[in-house]
Short mmCIF file of all heavy atoms in Angstrom, two decimals:
data_model
loop_
_atom_site.label_atom_id
_atom_site.label_comp_id
_atom_site.label_asym_id
_atom_site.label_seq_id
_atom_site.Cartn_x
_atom_site.Cartn_y
_atom_site.Cartn_z
N VAL P 1 -7.58 -51.15 146.69
CA VAL P 1 -6.44 -50.85 147.57
C VAL P 1 -6.69 -49.65 148.28
O VAL P 1 -6.12 -49.38 149.45
CB VAL P 1 -5.14 -50.84 146.86
CG1 VAL P 1 -4.77 -52.19 146.28
CG2 VAL P 1 -5.21 -49.77 145.74
N GLU P 2 -7.65 -48.80 147.91
CA GLU P 2 -7.92 -47.57 148.67
C GLU P 2 -8.55 -47.80 149.99
O GLU P 2 -8.49 -46.91 150.89
CB GLU P 2 -8.85 -46.63 147.83
CG GLU P 2 -10.20 -47.16 147.63
CD GLU P 2 -10.50 -48.12 146.56
OE1 GLU P 2 -9.47 -48.47 145.82
OE2 GLU P 2 -11.61 -48.52 146.28
N GLU P 3 -9.06 -49.02 150.19
CA GLU P 3 -9.58 -49.34 151.57
C GLU P 3 -8.50 -49.69 152.56
O GLU P 3 -8.88 -49.82 153.73
CB GLU P 3 -10.61 -50.49 151.43
CG GLU P 3 -11.81 -50.19 150.46
CD GLU P 3 -12.76 -49.12 150.99
OE1 GLU P 3 -12.61 -48.73 152.12
OE2 GLU P 3 -13.63 -48.65 150.21
N TYR P 4 -7.38 -49.93 152.07
CA TYR P 4 -6.28 -50.27 152.98
C TYR P 4 -5.74 -48.94 153.59
O TYR P 4 -5.09 -48.18 152.89
CB TYR P 4 -5.15 -51.04 152.24
CG TYR P 4 -5.65 -52.42 151.87
CD1 TYR P 4 -6.53 -52.63 150.75
CD2 TYR P 4 -5.29 -53.60 152.58
CE1 TYR P 4 -6.89 -53.91 150.42
CE2 TYR P 4 -5.72 -54.86 152.27
CZ TYR P 4 -6.53 -55.00 151.17
OH TYR P 4 -6.89 -56.24 150.78
N LYS P 5 -5.84 -48.72 154.90
CA LYS P 5 -5.49 -47.53 155.53
C LYS P 5 -4.05 -47.65 156.23
O LYS P 5 -3.48 -46.58 156.48
CB LYS P 5 -6.51 -47.11 156.59
CG LYS P 5 -7.97 -47.11 156.11
CD LYS P 5 -8.20 -46.13 154.94
CE LYS P 5 -9.65 -46.08 154.58
NZ LYS P 5 -9.89 -45.18 153.45
N ASP P 6 -3.64 -48.83 156.52
CA ASP P 6 -2.36 -48.98 157.32
C ASP P 6 -1.17 -48.42 156.57
O ASP P 6 -1.03 -48.68 155.39
CB ASP P 6 -2.27 -50.49 157.62
CG ASP P 6 -1.03 -50.72 158.37
OD1 ASP P 6 -0.79 -50.03 159.41
OD2 ASP P 6 -0.21 -51.58 158.01
N VAL P 7 -0.31 -47.80 157.31
CA VAL P 7 0.92 -47.25 156.78
C VAL P 7 1.83 -48.33 156.14
O VAL P 7 2.44 -48.20 155.05
CB VAL P 7 1.71 -46.47 157.81
CG1 VAL P 7 2.14 -47.29 159.07
CG2 VAL P 7 3.00 -45.80 157.16
N GLU P 8 1.87 -49.51 156.74
CA GLU P 8 2.61 -50.62 156.14
C GLU P 8 2.14 -51.09 154.89
O GLU P 8 2.81 -51.22 153.84
CB GLU P 8 2.79 -51.72 157.20
CG GLU P 8 3.64 -52.84 156.71
CD GLU P 8 3.83 -53.93 157.70
OE1 GLU P 8 2.82 -54.60 158.11
OE2 GLU P 8 4.95 -54.26 158.08
N SER P 9 0.78 -51.31 154.80
CA SER P 9 0.07 -51.79 153.57
C SER P 9 0.36 -50.72 152.43
O SER P 9 0.72 -51.20 151.33
CB SER P 9 -1.41 -51.83 153.80
OG SER P 9 -1.62 -52.86 154.83
N ARG P 10 0.13 -49.46 152.77
CA ARG P 10 0.31 -48.48 151.71
C ARG P 10 1.79 -48.38 151.30
O ARG P 10 2.07 -48.25 150.05
CB ARG P 10 -0.14 -47.13 152.22
CG ARG P 10 -1.69 -46.92 152.45
CD ARG P 10 -2.05 -45.67 153.09
NE ARG P 10 -3.46 -45.45 153.12
CZ ARG P 10 -4.22 -44.91 152.16
NH1 ARG P 10 -3.63 -44.53 151.08
NH2 ARG P 10 -5.48 -44.73 152.25
N ASN P 11 2.68 -48.46 152.08
CA ASN P 11 4.12 -48.42 151.74
C ASN P 11 4.59 -49.60 150.89
O ASN P 11 5.31 -49.38 149.86
CB ASN P 11 5.04 -48.32 152.94
CG ASN P 11 5.04 -46.90 153.59
OD1 ASN P 11 4.27 -46.03 153.22
ND2 ASN P 11 5.95 -46.73 154.55
N PHE P 12 4.10 -50.77 151.27
CA PHE P 12 4.47 -51.96 150.48
C PHE P 12 3.87 -51.90 149.06
O PHE P 12 4.48 -52.38 148.09
CB PHE P 12 4.22 -53.23 151.22
CG PHE P 12 5.22 -53.66 152.16
CD1 PHE P 12 5.46 -53.15 153.40
CD2 PHE P 12 6.21 -54.62 151.75
CE1 PHE P 12 6.45 -53.52 154.26
CE2 PHE P 12 7.25 -55.09 152.58
CZ PHE P 12 7.39 -54.56 153.85
N TYR P 13 2.56 -51.47 149.04
CA TYR P 13 1.92 -51.39 147.74
C TYR P 13 2.61 -50.38 146.91
O TYR P 13 2.91 -50.51 145.75
CB TYR P 13 0.46 -51.06 147.91
CG TYR P 13 -0.14 -50.69 146.60
CD1 TYR P 13 -0.55 -51.86 145.76
CD2 TYR P 13 -0.53 -49.42 146.17
CE1 TYR P 13 -1.12 -51.58 144.51
CE2 TYR P 13 -1.10 -49.17 144.97
CZ TYR P 13 -1.36 -50.22 144.14
OH TYR P 13 -1.96 -49.95 142.99
N ALA P 14 2.97 -49.19 147.52
CA ALA P 14 3.66 -48.13 146.72
C ALA P 14 5.00 -48.61 146.26
O ALA P 14 5.36 -48.26 145.05
CB ALA P 14 3.82 -46.91 147.60
N GLU P 15 5.75 -49.33 147.01
CA GLU P 15 7.03 -49.88 146.61
C GLU P 15 6.87 -50.75 145.44
O GLU P 15 7.67 -50.81 144.44
CB GLU P 15 7.75 -50.51 147.79
CG GLU P 15 9.11 -51.05 147.45
CD GLU P 15 9.73 -51.89 148.67
OE1 GLU P 15 9.03 -52.69 149.29
OE2 GLU P 15 10.84 -51.61 148.96
N ALA P 16 5.87 -51.70 145.56
CA ALA P 16 5.63 -52.69 144.41
C ALA P 16 5.26 -51.94 143.14
O ALA P 16 5.78 -52.25 142.05
CB ALA P 16 4.56 -53.67 144.77
N ALA P 17 4.32 -50.93 143.28
CA ALA P 17 3.94 -50.13 142.16
C ALA P 17 5.03 -49.39 141.45
O ALA P 17 5.19 -49.34 140.25
CB ALA P 17 2.83 -49.20 142.55
N ALA P 18 6.03 -48.84 142.24
CA ALA P 18 7.13 -48.12 141.80
C ALA P 18 8.17 -48.99 141.17
O ALA P 18 9.07 -48.55 140.37
CB ALA P 18 7.78 -47.32 142.94
N SER P 19 8.07 -50.30 141.43
CA SER P 19 9.10 -51.23 140.88
C SER P 19 8.98 -51.37 139.31
O SER P 19 9.96 -51.88 138.69
CB SER P 19 9.00 -52.61 141.51
OG SER P 19 7.81 -53.22 141.08
N GLY P 20 7.81 -51.02 138.80
CA GLY P 20 7.71 -51.22 137.36
C GLY P 20 7.27 -52.68 136.97
O GLY P 20 7.05 -52.90 135.81
N SER P 21 7.13 -53.58 137.90
CA SER P 21 6.89 -54.96 137.67
C SER P 21 5.32 -55.18 137.94
O SER P 21 4.84 -55.15 139.13
CB SER P 21 7.72 -55.88 138.53
OG SER P 21 7.19 -57.20 138.46
N ASP P 22 4.58 -55.54 136.84
CA ASP P 22 3.15 -55.77 137.00
C ASP P 22 3.03 -57.05 137.93
O ASP P 22 2.07 -57.09 138.69
CB ASP P 22 2.55 -56.00 135.67
CG ASP P 22 2.43 -54.72 134.88
OD1 ASP P 22 2.60 -53.61 135.53
OD2 ASP P 22 2.29 -54.77 133.73
N LYS P 23 3.92 -58.04 137.78
CA LYS P 23 3.76 -59.21 138.51
C LYS P 23 3.95 -58.94 140.06
O LYS P 23 3.21 -59.48 140.89
CB LYS P 23 4.77 -60.33 138.08
CG LYS P 23 4.70 -61.65 138.81
CD LYS P 23 5.75 -62.67 138.42
CE LYS P 23 5.52 -63.96 139.03
NZ LYS P 23 5.51 -63.95 140.50
N ARG P 24 5.00 -58.20 140.37
CA ARG P 24 5.16 -57.84 141.79
C ARG P 24 3.97 -57.06 142.35
O ARG P 24 3.70 -57.34 143.50
CB ARG P 24 6.55 -57.02 141.95
CG ARG P 24 6.81 -56.73 143.37
CD ARG P 24 8.08 -56.07 143.51
NE ARG P 24 8.37 -55.66 144.94
CZ ARG P 24 9.39 -54.92 145.41
NH1 ARG P 24 10.31 -54.53 144.62
NH2 ARG P 24 9.55 -54.61 146.63
N THR P 25 3.46 -56.19 141.63
CA THR P 25 2.34 -55.43 142.08
C THR P 25 1.08 -56.34 142.26
O THR P 25 0.38 -56.30 143.31
CB THR P 25 1.90 -54.36 141.05
OG1 THR P 25 2.99 -53.46 140.88
CG2 THR P 25 0.71 -53.52 141.55
N ARG P 26 0.83 -57.31 141.30
CA ARG P 26 -0.31 -58.24 141.52
C ARG P 26 -0.03 -59.20 142.71
O ARG P 26 -0.86 -59.37 143.53
CB ARG P 26 -0.43 -59.06 140.24
CG ARG P 26 -0.98 -58.36 139.08
CD ARG P 26 -1.45 -59.32 137.96
NE ARG P 26 -0.31 -60.25 137.58
CZ ARG P 26 0.57 -59.96 136.63
NH1 ARG P 26 0.42 -58.79 135.92
NH2 ARG P 26 1.46 -60.83 136.24
N ASP P 27 1.21 -59.60 142.82
CA ASP P 27 1.57 -60.46 143.92
C ASP P 27 1.32 -59.77 145.28
O ASP P 27 0.98 -60.36 146.33
CB ASP P 27 2.99 -61.06 143.85
CG ASP P 27 3.09 -62.07 142.74
OD1 ASP P 27 2.03 -62.58 142.23
OD2 ASP P 27 4.21 -62.44 142.36
N THR P 28 1.79 -58.55 145.38
CA THR P 28 1.65 -57.72 146.59
C THR P 28 0.13 -57.48 146.94
O THR P 28 -0.19 -57.67 148.15
CB THR P 28 2.44 -56.43 146.50
OG1 THR P 28 3.79 -56.66 146.17
CG2 THR P 28 2.21 -55.52 147.68
N ILE P 29 -0.60 -57.22 145.97
CA ILE P 29 -2.07 -57.08 146.23
C ILE P 29 -2.66 -58.32 146.71
O ILE P 29 -3.39 -58.37 147.70
CB ILE P 29 -2.82 -56.58 144.96
CG1 ILE P 29 -2.36 -55.14 144.59
CG2 ILE P 29 -4.29 -56.64 145.12
CD1 ILE P 29 -2.92 -54.67 143.22
N LYS P 30 -2.24 -59.45 146.13
CA LYS P 30 -2.72 -60.76 146.63
C LYS P 30 -2.37 -61.04 147.98
O LYS P 30 -3.10 -61.51 148.88
CB LYS P 30 -2.32 -61.92 145.66
CG LYS P 30 -2.67 -63.27 146.11
CD LYS P 30 -2.11 -64.40 145.19
CE LYS P 30 -2.52 -65.78 145.71
NZ LYS P 30 -1.92 -66.77 144.84
N GLY P 31 -1.06 -60.70 148.35
CA GLY P 31 -0.55 -60.87 149.62
C GLY P 31 -1.27 -60.00 150.64
O GLY P 31 -1.64 -60.47 151.73
N LEU P 32 -1.49 -58.74 150.23
CA LEU P 32 -2.27 -57.89 151.17
C LEU P 32 -3.67 -58.46 151.40
O LEU P 32 -4.13 -58.30 152.58
CB LEU P 32 -2.29 -56.45 150.55
CG LEU P 32 -1.06 -55.67 150.57
CD1 LEU P 32 -1.16 -54.47 149.74
CD2 LEU P 32 -0.55 -55.30 151.98
N GLN P 33 -4.30 -58.95 150.42
CA GLN P 33 -5.61 -59.51 150.62
C GLN P 33 -5.66 -60.71 151.67
O GLN P 33 -6.67 -60.98 152.23
CB GLN P 33 -6.23 -60.01 149.30
CG GLN P 33 -6.55 -58.86 148.41
CD GLN P 33 -6.94 -59.37 146.98
OE1 GLN P 33 -6.60 -60.51 146.57
NE2 GLN P 33 -7.57 -58.49 146.24
N ILE P 34 -4.63 -61.32 151.87
CA ILE P 34 -4.48 -62.44 152.90
C ILE P 34 -3.92 -61.99 154.19
O ILE P 34 -4.35 -62.36 155.22
CB ILE P 34 -3.66 -63.59 152.30
CG1 ILE P 34 -4.26 -64.10 151.05
CG2 ILE P 34 -3.53 -64.66 153.35
CD1 ILE P 34 -3.38 -65.03 150.33
N LEU P 35 -2.84 -61.11 154.15
CA LEU P 35 -1.92 -60.90 155.28
C LEU P 35 -1.93 -59.51 155.99
O LEU P 35 -1.61 -59.30 157.05
CB LEU P 35 -0.52 -61.18 154.86
CG LEU P 35 -0.22 -62.59 154.32
CD1 LEU P 35 1.20 -62.54 153.65
CD2 LEU P 35 -0.33 -63.66 155.33
N ALA P 36 -2.60 -58.50 155.23
CA ALA P 36 -2.55 -57.16 155.73
C ALA P 36 -3.05 -56.88 157.08
O ALA P 36 -4.03 -57.53 157.52
CB ALA P 36 -3.22 -56.26 154.64
N ARG P 37 -2.46 -55.95 157.74
CA ARG P 37 -2.80 -55.63 159.10
C ARG P 37 -4.24 -55.00 159.10
O ARG P 37 -4.99 -55.11 160.06
CB ARG P 37 -1.85 -54.56 159.74
CG ARG P 37 -0.38 -55.10 159.59
CD ARG P 37 0.57 -54.39 160.58
NE ARG P 37 0.53 -52.97 160.43
CZ ARG P 37 1.41 -52.16 161.17
NH1 ARG P 37 2.15 -52.66 162.06
NH2 ARG P 37 1.43 -50.81 160.95
N ASP P 38 -4.63 -54.45 157.99
CA ASP P 38 -5.88 -53.77 157.90
C ASP P 38 -7.06 -54.65 158.21
O ASP P 38 -8.12 -54.24 158.80
CB ASP P 38 -6.23 -53.20 156.43
CG ASP P 38 -5.11 -52.26 156.07
OD1 ASP P 38 -3.99 -52.74 155.69
OD2 ASP P 38 -5.32 -50.99 156.09
N HIS P 39 -6.92 -56.01 157.97
CA HIS P 39 -8.03 -56.91 158.09
C HIS P 39 -8.50 -57.01 159.59
O HIS P 39 -9.75 -57.24 159.72
CB HIS P 39 -7.69 -58.29 157.60
CG HIS P 39 -7.32 -58.35 156.13
ND1 HIS P 39 -8.16 -58.06 155.11
CD2 HIS P 39 -6.14 -58.74 155.57
CE1 HIS P 39 -7.59 -58.18 153.94
NE2 HIS P 39 -6.36 -58.58 154.22
N SER P 40 -7.60 -56.85 160.44
CA SER P 40 -8.02 -57.02 161.85
C SER P 40 -8.54 -55.67 162.52
O SER P 40 -8.92 -55.65 163.58
CB SER P 40 -6.78 -57.44 162.62
OG SER P 40 -5.71 -56.42 162.50
N ARG P 41 -8.48 -54.66 161.62
CA ARG P 41 -8.77 -53.29 162.06
C ARG P 41 -10.09 -52.71 161.63
O ARG P 41 -10.56 -51.60 162.06
CB ARG P 41 -7.59 -52.38 161.79
CG ARG P 41 -6.22 -52.91 162.29
CD ARG P 41 -5.09 -52.04 161.89
NE ARG P 41 -3.86 -52.62 162.39
CZ ARG P 41 -2.71 -51.92 162.48
NH1 ARG P 41 -2.60 -50.71 161.95
NH2 ARG P 41 -1.59 -52.51 162.96
N ILE P 42 -10.84 -53.43 160.77
CA ILE P 42 -12.16 -52.98 160.36
C ILE P 42 -13.05 -53.09 161.54
O ILE P 42 -12.85 -53.80 162.54
CB ILE P 42 -12.72 -53.74 159.22
CG1 ILE P 42 -12.86 -55.31 159.53
CG2 ILE P 42 -11.84 -53.56 157.97
CD1 ILE P 42 -13.54 -56.01 158.42
N PRO P 43 -14.10 -52.25 161.71
CA PRO P 43 -14.98 -52.14 162.90
C PRO P 43 -15.60 -53.49 163.35
O PRO P 43 -16.00 -54.31 162.47
CB PRO P 43 -16.10 -51.15 162.47
CG PRO P 43 -15.39 -50.35 161.55
CD PRO P 43 -14.49 -51.22 160.62
N PHE P 44 -15.71 -53.63 164.54
CA PHE P 44 -16.31 -54.87 165.23
C PHE P 44 -17.78 -54.88 164.78
O PHE P 44 -18.48 -53.82 164.67
CB PHE P 44 -16.21 -54.66 166.75
CG PHE P 44 -16.63 -55.95 167.44
CD1 PHE P 44 -15.65 -56.89 167.76
CD2 PHE P 44 -18.04 -56.27 167.74
CE1 PHE P 44 -16.01 -58.05 168.44
CE2 PHE P 44 -18.32 -57.39 168.36
CZ PHE P 44 -17.37 -58.37 168.70
#
């Protein structure tokens, strides 16, 4: 997750981690791996 630089990705991950729910954190990481804005922003 340290490779995700986007403010939205970081905030949603932090929110999930702070929830205390391991499932929510895992689901959020999985979702970021598919949907995060970071994917479109890595160098050409």
Side-chain angles (χ1 to χ4, degrees):
V1 294
E2 70 275 3
E3 301 294 349
Y4 291 78
K5 309 297 185 185
D6 177 51
V7 61
E8 183 177 61
S9 299
R10 288 177 174 271
N11 282 9
F12 272 82
Y13 173 74
E15 182 183 44
S19 71
S21 167
D22 290 342
K23 182 180 186 305
R24 182 175 175 184
T25 302
R26 289 194 303 270
D27 288 346
T28 299
I29 292 173
K30 178 182 177 181
L32 289 171
Q33 290 173 341
I34 301 170
L35 304 167
R37 307 197 305 180
D38 303 78
H39 299 300
S40 62
R41 302 177 182 190
I42 61 175
F44 190 94

